[in-house]
């Protein structure tokens, strides 16, 4: 699987290139690991080899729905990029992968974006994508950016997970 279709939706060439570069430098485990290290919370087909990529594609699909429905001015390309990159470091950085999902994976992914990019891209665009990635866990994570873009990425991740999972978690 690749992200050609999702990347082609990013109209801002700079954000598209930034996203491609991050994917090219993604830890190898991003491409073959399951979406969940424990088998909980994600759909059965996402808990197999390559499931993290499938989950990410689903997050992108839900993100597109939210972009189309959103009422405030937003930058759709920041959302598209962050949806693609949100779990890129779910099992850690580099070649050695953790057995389990790392709680700080949103911050690791945001750091990867900032480190890779250095001074080659517009700082505001890089920061917006990194903030949306860092905040994708919402109230369950450490990052809490209040932008609409960050909220949409969080909702896209949450909804994609819940729509495809068999287990209902939010029956309160």
């Amino acid at each position: 699987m690749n992200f050609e279709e999702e990347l082609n939706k990013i109209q801002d060439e700079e954000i598209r290139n930034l996203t491609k570069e991050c994917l090219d430098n993604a830890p190898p485990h991003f491409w073959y690991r399951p979406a969940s290290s424990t088998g909980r919370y994600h759909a059965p087909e996402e808990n197999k080899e390559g499931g993290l990529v499938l989950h990410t594609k689903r997050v992108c699909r839900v993100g597109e729905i939210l972009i189309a429905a959103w009422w405030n001015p937003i930058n759709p390309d920041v959302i598209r990029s962050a949806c693609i990159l949100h779990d890129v470091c779910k099992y850690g950085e580099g070649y050695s992968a953790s057995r389990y999902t790392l709680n700080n994976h949103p911050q690791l992914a945001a750091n990867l974006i900032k480190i890779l990019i250095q001074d080659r891209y517009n700082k505001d665009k890089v920061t917006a994508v990194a903030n949306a990635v860092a905040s994708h866990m919402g109230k369950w994570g450490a990052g809490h950016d209040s932008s609409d873009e960050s909220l949409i990425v969080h909702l896209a991740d949450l909804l994609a997970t819940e729509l495809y999972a068999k287990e209902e978690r939010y029956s309160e």
Side-chain angles (χ1 to χ4, degrees):
M1 280 193 199
N2 65 48
F3 289 96
E4 186 175 337
E5 181 181 338
E6 293 81 3
L7 287 165
N8 286 336
K9 290 180 181 177
I10 300 175
Q11 295 176 12
D12 183 309
E13 186 177 359
E14 192 169 25
I15 294 176
R16 187 179 338 106
N17 290 338
L18 163 134
T19 309
K20 282 181 188 176
E21 188 172 344
C22 288
L23 284 173
D24 289 344
N25 289 280
H29 53 79
F30 171 72
W31 300 100
Y32 67 85
R33 292 294 296 268
S36 173
S37 58
T38 63
R40 296 178 62 204
Y41 308 127
H42 289 271
E45 64 274 16
E46 293 178 3
N47 288 322
K48 298 177 182 173
E49 185 171 320
L52 185 53
V53 170
L54 175 60
H55 163 70
T56 301
K57 287 180 153 298
R58 288 174 168 173
V59 170
C60 292
R61 241 179 275 147
V62 174
E64 289 297 328
I65 294 167
L66 293 171
I67 288 168
W70 210 253
W71 53 90
N72 290 331
I74 54 171
N75 185 331
D77 290 337
V78 166
I79 296 163
R80 291 177 176 123
S81 177
C83 283
I84 293 169
L85 299 174
H86 79 282
D87 275 346
V88 78
C89 292
K90 191 162 192 171
Y91 293 95
E93 302 169 291
Y95 288 91
S96 60
S98 168
R99 182 174 175 194
Y100 297 105
T101 298
L102 297 177
N103 290 335
N104 67 335
H105 75 272
Q107 288 71 37
L108 292 175
N111 290 342
L112 174 73
I113 294 165
K114 290 176 182 177
I115 290 167
L116 275 177
I117 302 319
Q118 295 170 359
D119 294 325
R120 291 174 286 140
Y121 295 98
N122 176 285
K123 185 178 179 182
D124 292 337
K125 292 176 186 180
V126 171
T127 300
V129 171
N131 286 347
V133 167
S135 300
H136 84 266
M137 295 292 294
K139 70 180 186 177
W140 298 285
H144 298 289
D145 181 58
S146 62
S147 71
D148 282 359
E149 289 83 1
S150 292
L151 177 58
I152 291 170
V153 173
H154 166 61
L155 291 173
D157 184 32
L158 180 66
L159 291 170
T161 301
E162 290 301 316
L163 288 172
Y164 292 98
K166 290 186 176 181
E167 179 183 329
E168 216 175 288
R169 289 190 291 167
Y170 303 101
S171 57
E172 302 169 2

